[in-house]
Amino acid sequence: MTAIDTTPFIVSPGTRPHLEKRDPAESSAYDGDKKDGKELHLTMNARLEELQELLYAEGKQKLLIVLQAMDTGGKDSTIRHVFDGVNPQGVKVASFKKPTETELAHDYLWRAHRHTPARGEISIFNRSHYEDVLVVRVENLVPEEKWRRRYAQIRDFERMLAEEGVTIRKFFLHISKAEQRERMQSRLDEPHKRWKFSAGDLEVRKKWDAYQEAFEEMIAETSTEPAPWIVVPADRKWQRNLIVSQVLIETLEGLDMQYPDPEPGWESITIE
Ligand code: ATP
Ligand code: MG
């Protein structure tokens, strides 16, 4: 349907993403202009809507989408745009905030596991269990030997999910530090965006390099064949939306889904 090649953005298992060499503003995925890109995105929305309906109707497959990014990276906006028009029935969004006391009293995967998709469902993780090797690492919330073990634990967890029929796609929305400045400033300047700003965001911004290093290692350690990371150049929102949508369309098309067969005899029924 489209000419979007997503392969350069998929991180092969066992390799580093080299975030420092990836330009967050690059536009190699789609060479048309913004207007055409937005039009194309409308047709992709319609396709995703069809595929989600089929997933739901078939009721067999499960899709887990993980979104991670720096603050203002566009996680919320990606969800809004990519799933625009998709039937909310069968799609769940789980946002992972600072853990509650109850959550902290359990292992760190407990709260993630509860939100994984059931048959026929799509679960979208807005932040995820990966916070437990990101903010937890940068803020020294647990000792290094403990968070370091989590890479293998997460690989095992996701392999288990995949073996149990969950298809997993993980997106890192890669923005530049300059783009973050713009977006944070507009959160402060524009009254209707102010609710999105929190003073803590400035502290996190100061630790930009430490976070980039944490993302780099996290992606290298946990991009696997059943649960790959996709590094999405995300400074240009409309390009970002095209890439995420294309990956999801290809993924769902690859699942070989079918509408359920009618019961024998249904073809001869006429409703009076
Ligand atoms: P936006 O990106 O739109 O600002 P958000 O996802 O940042 O939305 P917030 O409520 O602003 O939502 O932030 C959630 C905070 O919770 C983040 O700072 C994140 O690092 C933190 N958090 C998430 N998981 C954990 C965790 N396991 N341990 C500690 N902090 C966590
Ligand atoms: Mg925030």
Side-chain angles (χ1 to χ4, degrees), residues 40-60:
L40 172 60
H41 196 247
L42 289 178
T43 61
M44 295 173 89
N45 273 143
R47 180 67 184 135
L48 198 62
E49 190 186 341
E50 285 169 3
L51 287 163
Q52 186 271 334
E53 187 187 83
L54 181 54
L55 179 94
Y56 189 73
E58 187 195 49
K60 287 187 182 162

Side-chain angles (χ1 to χ4, degrees), residues 223-269:
S223 200
T224 60
E225 193 269 318
W229 275 105
I230 297 106
V231 176
V232 182
D235 274 5
R236 296 200 177 107
K237 296 170 189 169
W238 62 277
Q239 287 264 350
R240 169 201 76 197
N241 295 339
L242 288 175
I243 294 168
V244 174
S245 293
Q246 178 68 17
V247 169
L248 295 179
I249 288 169
E250 281 170 12
T251 301
L252 288 169
E253 284 178 342
L255 292 181
D256 190 26
M257 300 179 290
Q258 312 290 336
Y259 281 101
D261 285 333
E263 302 280 322
W266 279 7
E267 67 283 356
S268 59
I269 297 177

Side-chain angles (χ1 to χ4, degrees), residues 71-72 75-76 96-99 111 126-127 131-132 135-136 141 187 196 198 201:
D71 284 311
T72 76
K75 302 183 301 299
D76 294 348
F96 292 83
K97 308 281 181 186
K98 262 182 91 165
R111 69 172 180 164
N126 183 347
R127 301 188 190 263
E131 292 293 322
D132 291 280
V135 60
V136 162
L141 301 181
R187 284 186 179 185
K196 288 200 132 213
S198 78
D201 294 354

